[in-house]
C-alpha cells in the first residue's frame, strides 16, 4: 500500500498546494531568470553556452515544481504516479548535469560522463532499483534509498574526474586560453556537492522539502553565479575587442580617407593636365581649320562648287562646330558663360525658320514633323545659345525616332513664361538616366550612334544661363518629351529686334543613294553598309570604277538588300542606327545563302574588345578610320582573288574526281566555269611565271619578297612586271588586276 513518504503539510506551504513558500519563491525567481535568458538568447542565437544553460534552468524548474507539488494526496493523480514523476524529474536533471558540465568546461575527458555514464549510472539504476522494486513492493522508503546510492557514487566519480582534468588542463592550452578555468572547475564541483547532499539528506535523513530545495537550488545558484559571472566577463572582453576594433577601424578609415584624398588630388591633376592638353590641341586645330575654311570659301568663289567640294566644306564646318561646342562646355565647367544674353530675339520666327530646314531631314526618315508656334514670343538671349537649344533638341528627336514615327514641336507663353516643347515617339529613356543625359560626354546609345555626348549638356547649360529650366518625361520604346521653360521678354520702345539669325543647318540630308551596278558587267560585287552619308557616297564613288557596288545605310537595310542580291564581299561600319554592324553579321551568318560572304569592318570604333569580337565571329579584317583607300582596295582584291582560287580549286577537284571515277565530262559544260583569270592570261599571252608573279603582287608582296619565294632576283621580278604592264597596257596594280580578274 502506498505510504505518504515525502508528504508535508505545513503552515509554510503555498495555499492549496504542497509547495513550500521558499520553493515557490525559488520557482518565481527562476521563471524570471528563464525569460531574461530566453530574450538574451534571441538577441545572440549563436551563443550555444546560453542554450545549454537554458536547458539546465528548465530542468531545475520542472524539478522544483514536481518536487514541491508531490507527494500530495489531494491531487487527482495516483500516489504511485506522483512518486515516479517526483523521482524521475530528479534523475533527468541529474543526467543533464554531466552533459552541461562537459559543454560548459569543454573538457574532452568528460565525454563518457556526458553520454554513456548518465545512461548506465543514472537511467538504468532508476529503472532497476526504483521503478521495478517499487512497482512490486510499493515500499517507497526502500526503493527511494536505493535509487540514490548508485548516483551518489557516480557523482563522486565525476568530481574525481573533474579534479583530475583540472590538474591536467592547467598545463594544457585550456588554461592559457581561459585563465578562469580553475574557478569554473571548482565552482562546478561545489554545485555538484550541494546537489548530491540535497538528495542524500532528504532520502536517508528524512530531510524536509525546505532542506532539499535549499541544498539542491544552492548548487544550481552556484552554477548560475558561475555562468553569469563568466558571461559578463566574456561580454566585457567582446566589448573591449569591439572598442579596439572600432578604434582600429577608425584609424584605418582615416588613413584610407587620407589616401583617397591624396589619390583624388593626383587623379584631378592628371585629368586637368589631360584636359589642358586636349584644349591646347583643340586650339592648335582651330588655326588650320580656319585656313582650310577660308581657302575653301575662296576656291568656291573663284571656281564654283561641286559635290566633292560641298562634302569637304560640310565636314570641315561640322568639325569646327564640334570644337566650338567643346570649348563652350569647358567654359561652363569652369563657371564661365560663353554667351552674352543682351539681344532681343523673336523666338517664334527663329523656331519657324529653323524647323523649315529640318523638314526635309524628317521626311527623309518618313517621320511626321508637326509644330504649333504662337506668334511674336520674344526673349532676351544670345542667338547662339537659343539656336543651340532648338537645334540639339529637334535633331536628337529626329535621330532617335524610327521610321514612320512622329515629332511634335510647340511654342507658347503664359504669364511671362515661355514653354518650348519637343515630343517624339522615339526609343525613349530610362527614368534612372534623366539626370545623367545632361552630363557632358554621356551617351545612352553610344554603340549605334555617332557623336560625343555634348548636345544635351550644352542645352542644359544654355537653359541655366538664361535662368530657365528643362525637364524630361520619357518611357522606353514609347517616346520622350523635353520641356524648356524660359523667361519671356516684354518689348519696350527702345528694344532692337535681331533678325536673320538662322544659320545654315546641314543635317546631311540627301536623296536615297542608289546602287552603282552595271548589269552587263561580270565585275565582282560589293555591298557597303555605312550610316554616314558622306562616307557612303565617297566609298561608292571610289569603288564603282572597279566593282558593282550596292549600298545600305544600316544593318537593317543591308539585310533587306541581301534578299535580292548576293555580293562577293561586304564592307560594313560597326556603329549604325537600327542595326549595328556586329548584329548585322550575326544575322548574316544565320542565312544559308549568305553565310559564306566575307566581311570587312571599316569603323571608327578602335577598342581591342570590339575588334576581337568582330574577328571571333569570322570577319576577315577590321580596319580603323581614318584609313587608306589603297590599303582597302588591296585587301578587297586579295580577298576576291582568294575566292576565285578556292572556286577554281574546288572545280578542278571535282573534275579530277569525275575523271578518276570514269564519269564522262562534257567539256563544254565546264568551259564557262574556267577561271576568268586564266582566260585573260591566255588572251594577253601571259606566261606561267608571269601568272605566279601577278598572283603574288595581288596578295600584297613586295618585289624582294616575290623574288625570295620564286628564287629569282628582285631585278628579274621588276623586269617581269614591266613586261606584264606592257602586254596589258596598264600603269598600276589596280588596273592590272581589274583587267585580268
Amino acid at each position: 500500500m502506498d505510504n505518504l513518504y515525502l508528504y508535508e503539510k505545513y503552515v509554510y506551504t503555498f495555499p492549496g498546494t504542497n509547495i513550500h513558500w521558499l520553493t515557490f519563491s525559488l520557482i518565481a525567481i527562476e521563471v524570471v531568470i528563464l525569460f531574461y535568458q530566453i530574450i538574451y538568447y534571441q538577441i545572440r542565437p549563436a551563443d550555444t553556452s546560453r542554450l545549454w544553460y537554458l536547458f539546465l534552468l528548465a530542468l531545475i524548474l520542472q524539478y522544483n515544481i514536481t518536487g514541491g507539488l508531490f507527494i500530495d494526496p489531494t491531487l487527482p493523480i495516483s500516489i504511485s504516479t506522483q512518486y515516479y514523476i517526483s523521482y524521475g524529474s530528479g534523475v533527468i536533471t541529474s543526467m543533464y548535469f554531466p552533459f552541461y558540465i562537459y559543454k560548459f568546461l569543454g573538457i574532452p575527458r568528460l565525454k563518457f560522463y556526458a553520454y554513456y555514464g548518465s545512461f548506465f549510472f543514472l537511467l538504468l539504476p532508476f529503472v532497476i532499483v526504483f521503478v521495478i522494486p517499487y512497482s512490486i513492493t510499493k515500499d517507497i522508503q526502500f526503493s527511494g534509498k536505493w535509487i540514490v546510492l548508485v548516483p551518489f557514487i557516480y557523482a563522486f566519480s565525476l568530481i574525481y574526474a573533474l579534479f583530475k582534468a583540472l590538474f591536467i588542463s592547467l598545463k594544457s592550452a585550456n588554461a592559457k586560453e581561459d585563465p578562469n578555468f580553475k574557478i569554473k572547475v571548482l565552482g562546478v564541483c561545489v554545485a555538484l556537492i550541494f546537489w548530491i547532499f540535497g538528495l542524500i539528506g532528504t532520502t536517508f535523513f528524512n530531510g524536509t522539502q525546505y532542506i532539499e530545495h535549499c541544498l539542491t537550488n544552492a548548487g544550481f545558484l552556484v552554477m548560475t553565479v558561475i555562468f553569469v559571472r563568466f558571461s559578463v566577463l566574456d561580454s566585457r572582453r567582446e566589448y573591449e575587442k569591439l572598442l579596439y576594433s572600432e578604434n582600429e577601424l577608425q584609424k584605418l578609415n582615416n588613413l584610407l580617407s587620407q589616401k583617397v584624398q591624396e589619390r583624388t588630388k593626383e587623379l584631378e591633376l592628371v585629368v586637368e593636365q589631360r584636359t589642358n592638353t586636349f584644349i591646347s590641341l583643340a586650339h592648335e586645330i582651330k588655326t588650320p581649320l580656319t585656313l582650310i575654311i577660308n581657302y575653301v570659301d575662296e576656291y568656291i568663289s573663284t571656281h564654283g562648287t561641286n559635290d566633292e567640294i560641298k562634302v569637304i566644306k560640310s565636314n570641315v564646318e561640322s568639325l569646327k562646330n564640334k570644337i566650338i561646342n567643346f570649348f563652350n562646355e569647358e567654359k561652363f565647367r569652369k563657371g564661365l558663360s560663353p554667351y552674352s544674353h543682351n539681344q532681343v530675339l523673336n523666338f517664334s520666327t527663329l523656331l519657324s525658320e529653323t524647323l523649315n530646314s529640318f523638314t526635309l531631314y524628317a521626311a527623309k526618315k518618313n517621320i511626321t514633323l508637326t509644330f504649333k508656334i504662337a506668334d511674336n514670343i520674344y526673349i532676351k538671349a544670345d542667338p547662339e545659345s537659343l539656336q543651340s537649344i532648338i537645334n540639339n533638341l529637334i535633331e536628337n528627336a529626329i535621330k532617335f525616332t524610327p521610321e514612320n514615327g512622329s515629332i511634335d514641336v510647340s511654342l507658347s507663353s503664359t504669364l511671362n513664361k515661355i514653354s518650348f516643347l519637343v515630343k517624339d515617339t522615339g526609343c525613349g529613356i530610362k527614368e534612372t538616366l534623366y539626370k545623367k543625359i545632361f552630363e557632358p560626354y554621356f551617351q545612352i546609345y553610344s554603340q549605334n550612334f555617332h557623336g560625343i555626348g555634348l548636345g544635351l549638356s550644352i542645352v542644359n547649360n544654355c537653359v541655366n544661363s538664361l535662368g530657365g529650366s528643362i525637364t524630361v518625361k520619357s518611357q522606353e520604346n514609347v517616346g520622350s518629351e523635353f520641356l524648356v521653360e524660359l523667361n519671356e521678354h516684354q518689348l519696350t520702345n527702345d528694344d532692337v529686334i535681331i533678325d536673320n539669325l538662322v544659320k545654315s543647318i546641314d543635317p546631311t540630308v540627301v536623296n536615297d543613294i542608289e546602287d552603282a551596278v552595271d548589269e552587263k558587267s561580270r565585275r565582282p560585287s560589293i555591298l557597303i553598309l555605312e550610316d554616314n552619308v558622306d562616307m557612303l557616297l565617297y566609298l561608292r564613288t571610289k569603288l564603282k570604277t572597279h566593282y558593282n557596288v550596292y549600298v545600305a545605310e544600316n544593318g537593317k537595310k543591308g539585310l533587306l538588300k541581301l534578299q535580292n542580291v548576293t555580293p562577293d564581299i561586304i564592307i560594313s561600319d560597326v556603329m549604325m542606327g537600327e542595326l549595328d554592324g556586329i548584329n548585322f553579321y550575326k544575322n548574316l551568318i544565320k542565312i544559308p545563302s549568305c553565310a559564306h560572304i566575307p566581311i570587312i569592318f571599316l569603323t571608327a570604333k578602335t577598342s581591342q574588345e570590339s575588334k576581337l569580337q568582330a574577328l571571333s565571329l569570322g570577319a576577315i579584317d577590321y580596319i580603323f578610320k581614318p584609313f587608306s583607300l589603297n590599303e582597302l582596295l588591296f585587301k578587297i582584291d586579295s580577298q576576291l582573288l582568294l575566292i576565285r582560287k578556292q572556286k577554281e580549286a574546288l572545280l578542278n577537284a571535282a573534275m579530277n574526281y569525275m575523271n578518276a571515277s570514269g564519269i564522262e565530262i562534257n567539256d563544254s559544260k565546264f568551259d564557262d566555269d574556267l577561271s576568268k583569270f586564266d582566260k585573260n592570261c591566255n588572251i594577253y599571252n601571259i606566261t606561267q611565271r608571269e601568272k605566279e608573279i601577278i598572283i603574288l603582287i595581288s596578295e600584297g608582296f613586295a618585289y624582294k619578297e616575290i623574288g625570295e619565294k620564286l628564287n629569282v632576283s628582285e631585278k628579274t621580278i621588276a623586269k617581269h612586271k614591266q613586261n606584264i604592264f606592257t602586254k596589258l597596257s596598264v600603269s598600276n596594280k589596280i588596273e592590272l588586276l581589274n583587267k585580268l580578274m
Side-chain angles (χ1 to χ4, degrees):
M1 179 179 179
D2 289 333
N3 55 39
L4 296 181
Y5 182 65
L6 301 182
Y7 175 62
E8 302 176 21
K9 199 67 178 176
Y10 302 112
V11 69
Y12 300 108
T13 57
F14 192 76
T17 70
N18 192 36
I19 300 178
H20 194 280
W21 272 105
L22 175 65
T23 306
F24 180 81
S25 300
L26 289 171
I27 291 172
I29 293 170
E30 288 164 357
V31 168
V32 173
I33 296 173
L34 177 67
F35 278 107
Y36 169 76
Q37 293 297 333
I38 290 173
I39 293 171
Y40 203 90
Y41 178 70
Q42 292 296 322
I43 296 172
R44 302 180 65 178
D47 188 356
T48 55
S49 63
R50 193 171 302 277
L51 179 63
W52 306 131
Y53 176 76
L54 279 171
F55 285 137
L56 177 64
L57 180 56
L59 289 172
I60 291 293
L61 269 172
Q62 64 88 26
Y63 169 76
N64 286 334
I65 292 171
T66 56
L69 285 174
F70 304 145
I71 300 298
D72 190 346
T74 63
L75 294 175
I77 303 174
S78 68
I79 298 300
S80 297
T81 303
Q82 291 187 41
Y83 279 130
Y84 288 137
I85 295 174
S86 178
Y87 279 90
S89 65
V91 169
I92 292 173
T93 305
S94 299
M95 289 177 65
Y96 185 73
F97 256 112
F99 179 81
Y100 176 76
I101 293 169
Y102 168 67
K103 290 293 184 181
F104 180 65
L105 297 177
I107 302 175
R109 296 171 62 88
L110 297 180
K111 185 175 181 179
F112 171 82
Y113 292 92
Y115 294 98
Y116 306 106
S118 296
F119 176 79
F120 289 113
F121 299 106
L122 292 176
L123 184 60
L124 284 181
F126 173 68
V127 175
I128 295 171
V129 302
F130 179 81
V131 175
I132 296 174
Y134 177 69
S135 64
I136 296 173
T137 66
K138 299 301 180 181
D139 187 348
I140 189 62
Q141 294 188 25
F142 174 80
S143 301
K145 291 177 180 178
W146 277 102
I147 183 56
V148 175
L149 286 176
V150 177
F152 178 78
I153 298 170
Y154 171 66
F156 275 99
S157 172
L158 176 60
I159 292 173
Y160 171 75
L162 281 171
F163 276 103
K164 186 176 180 181
L166 173 63
F167 290 113
I168 295 174
S169 299
L170 287 175
K171 300 178 182 180
S172 66
N174 291 58
K176 297 178 182 178
E177 294 176 0
D178 188 355
N180 299 305
F181 183 72
K182 180 180 179 180
I183 299 174
K184 287 183 179 181
V185 173
L186 292 175
V188 166
C189 291
V190 172
L192 277 174
I193 292 171
F194 273 115
W195 178 264
I196 294 167
F197 281 102
L199 296 177
I200 292 294
T202 304
T203 303
F204 284 92
F205 302 103
N206 296 323
T208 63
Q209 181 187 146
Y210 175 82
I211 295 172
E212 176 189 357
H213 286 270
C214 276
L215 290 174
T216 54
N217 280 277
F220 168 71
L221 290 175
V222 170
M223 294 294 296
T224 299
V225 170
I226 294 172
F227 175 78
V228 172
R229 180 176 184 273
F230 289 108
S231 292
V232 171
L233 291 175
D234 289 341
S235 296
R236 186 175 296 171
R237 280 195 295 268
E238 289 179 3
Y239 179 70
E240 290 173 353
K241 288 181 180 179
L242 180 61
L243 287 179
Y244 176 77
S245 298
E246 286 183 353
N247 291 332
E248 291 298 311
L249 185 61
Q250 186 63 42
K251 291 178 182 178
L252 291 173
N253 188 48
N254 293 337
L255 180 62
L256 181 60
S257 298
Q258 182 182 349
K259 294 293 184 182
V260 169
Q261 290 177 359
E262 293 174 358
R263 184 59 179 161
T264 301
K265 289 180 180 179
E266 292 176 2
L267 291 175
E268 287 176 351
L269 180 60
V270 171
V271 171
E272 188 67 25
Q273 289 174 342
R274 289 183 178 179
T275 302
N276 290 336
T277 301
F278 194 53
I279 292 173
S280 299
L281 178 61
H283 272 294
E284 293 297 323
I285 293 175
K286 288 177 72 175
T287 299
L289 270 180
T290 303
L291 292 172
I292 293 171
I293 292 171
N294 289 336
Y295 274 113
V296 169
D297 289 340
E298 183 179 339
Y299 180 88
I300 292 173
S301 63
T302 305
H303 301 88
T305 186
N306 55 43
D307 290 341
E308 292 182 344
I309 293 297
K310 287 180 181 178
V311 170
I312 294 172
K313 182 173 174 59
S314 171
N315 282 274
V316 171
E317 289 286 351
S318 175
L319 182 59
K320 183 190 74 172
N321 290 334
K322 285 181 171 61
I323 291 177
I324 291 173
N325 287 339
F326 170 75
F327 277 116
N328 289 343
E329 181 61 39
E330 286 303 310
K331 287 181 180 178
F332 278 120
R333 188 177 67 86
K334 294 179 178 179
L336 304 173
S337 176
Y339 304 117
S340 178
H341 302 298
N342 56 4
Q343 301 181 61
V344 179
L345 315 173
N346 189 325
F347 200 156
S348 304
T349 303
L350 178 63
L351 180 58
S352 298
E353 293 178 358
T354 303
L355 283 170
N356 290 334
S357 63
F358 277 107
T359 302
L360 183 59
Y361 185 22
K364 173 69 169 54
K365 293 186 66 177
N366 294 323
I367 294 173
T368 303
L369 178 60
T370 59
F371 43 90
K372 184 179 180 181
I373 302 173
D375 295 331
N376 298 322
I377 295 178
Y378 295 94
I379 186 172
K380 200 167 188 179
D382 189 304
E384 292 281 352
S385 67
L386 194 59
Q387 190 80 66
S388 292
I389 294 171
I390 296 171
N391 289 354
N392 279 298
L393 290 181
I394 297 176
E395 190 167 2
N396 276 353
I398 296 174
K399 182 190 297 183
F400 296 110
T401 299
E403 290 188 1
N404 303 315
S406 63
I407 298 173
D408 297 319
V409 179
S410 66
L411 180 67
S412 60
S413 67
T414 305
L415 300 176
N416 296 327
K417 285 288 184 180
I418 299 173
S419 295
F420 171 47
L421 179 68
V422 179
K423 184 177 181 181
D424 64 59
T425 58
C427 47
I429 305 166
K430 292 181 180 178
E431 187 175 353
T432 54
L433 298 177
Y434 283 2
K435 292 183 179 180
K436 295 287 292 182
I437 59 175
F438 295 109
E439 294 179 4
Y441 311 111
F442 179 78
Q443 294 176 282
I444 303 177
Y445 306 103
S446 58
Q447 294 294 322
N448 299 330
F449 294 95
H450 297 284
I452 58 174
L454 281 179
L456 287 178
S457 174
I458 291 171
V459 170
N460 187 49
N461 288 329
C462 291
V463 170
N464 290 336
S465 68
L466 286 166
S469 64
I470 180 170
T471 56
V472 57
K473 295 180 182 178
S474 185
Q475 186 175 348
E476 283 190 283
N477 302 316
V478 175
S480 301
E481 179 181 308
F482 286 85
L483 174 64
V484 175
E485 293 182 308
L486 301 169
N487 297 316
E488 185 178 10
H489 177 70
Q490 301 298 319
L491 284 179
T492 65
N493 294 331
D494 297 330
D495 287 333
V496 177
I497 302 172
I498 308 300
D499 295 321
N500 301 320
L501 297 174
V502 179
K503 293 186 177 182
S504 174
I505 301 170
D506 182 15
T508 318
V509 179
V510 296
N511 295 325
D512 288 337
I513 302 174
E514 297 180 354
D515 301 328
V517 178
D518 182 359
E519 299 293 346
K520 298 179 181 180
S521 168
R522 297 185 62 183
R523 295 185 300 177
S525 59
I526 296 177
L527 172 61
I528 304 174
L529 278 63
E530 172 63 63
D531 65 342
N532 184 288
V533 176
D534 290 337
M535 179 59 72
L536 185 59
L537 285 170
Y538 173 75
L539 289 172
R540 189 197 67 163
T541 301
K542 297 303 180 182
L543 296 179
K544 69 180 182 180
T545 58
H546 308 295
Y547 316 102
N548 286 330
V549 180
Y550 299 93
V551 295
E553 295 174 28
N554 54 56
K556 183 179 178 181
K557 291 183 177 180
L559 291 175
L560 292 174
K561 186 81 70 172
L562 288 172
Q563 294 178 2
N564 301 315
V565 299
T566 304
D568 294 294
I569 194 168
I570 296 173
I571 299 173
S572 174
D573 191 6
V574 172
M575 296 185 294
M576 297 182 291
E578 295 199 55
L579 187 66
D580 62 40
I582 297 295
N583 285 310
F584 162 79
Y585 192 37
K586 289 180 180 178
N587 283 276
L588 175 75
I589 57 182
K590 294 178 183 178
I591 304 173
S593 60
C594 300
H596 68 284
I597 302 174
I599 186 168
I600 296 175
F601 283 111
L602 194 65
T603 177
K605 192 174 183 181
T606 58
S607 70
Q608 188 70 9
E609 181 182 356
S610 298
K611 181 177 181 179
L612 292 176
Q613 183 185 14
L615 295 176
S616 67
L617 288 173
I620 61 173
D621 211 337
Y622 192 93
I623 302 175
F624 298 146
K625 296 176 182 177
F627 61 91
S628 164
L629 179 63
N630 285 334
E631 178 187 358
L632 177 63
L633 290 172
F634 288 152
K635 290 187 176 182
I636 293 172
D637 289 339
S638 296
Q639 184 60 36
L640 292 174
L641 180 58
L642 178 61
I643 293 172
R644 283 194 290 272
K645 287 181 177 181
Q646 290 172 342
K647 288 180 179 179
E648 184 177 329
L650 182 62
L651 181 61
N652 291 334
M655 293 178 67
N656 292 335
Y657 174 77
M658 295 174 73
N659 285 328
S661 302
I663 301 173
E664 291 187 5
I665 303 174
N666 185 354
D667 292 339
S668 61
K669 181 178 179 180
F670 293 98
D671 187 56
D672 292 337
D673 294 326
L674 290 176
S675 169
K676 179 183 176 183
F677 174 71
D678 289 335
K679 287 182 179 179
N680 289 335
C681 285
N682 292 334
I683 293 172
Y684 293 103
N685 297 318
I686 301 297
T687 66
Q688 184 61 37
R689 173 63 76 180
E690 289 172 341
K691 281 185 183 180
E692 294 172 352
I693 293 173
I694 292 170
I695 291 171
L696 291 172
I697 289 174
S698 69
E699 293 176 353
F701 290 103
Y703 294 159
K704 184 178 180 181
E705 293 173 319
I706 295 173
E708 291 174 354
K709 288 182 176 293
L710 300 180
N711 295 319
V712 295
S713 67
E714 184 177 351
K715 185 176 180 181
T716 301
I717 297 300
K719 186 176 180 181
H720 278 298
K721 174 249 183 183
Q722 186 59 44
N723 290 335
I724 295 169
F725 279 26
T726 301
K727 287 180 181 180
L728 275 75
S729 300
V730 297
S731 59
N732 57 55
K733 174 185 173 181
I734 301 301
E735 292 179 358
L736 168 68
L737 296 177
N738 286 332
K739 211 158 191 178
L740 290 179
M741 306 297 183

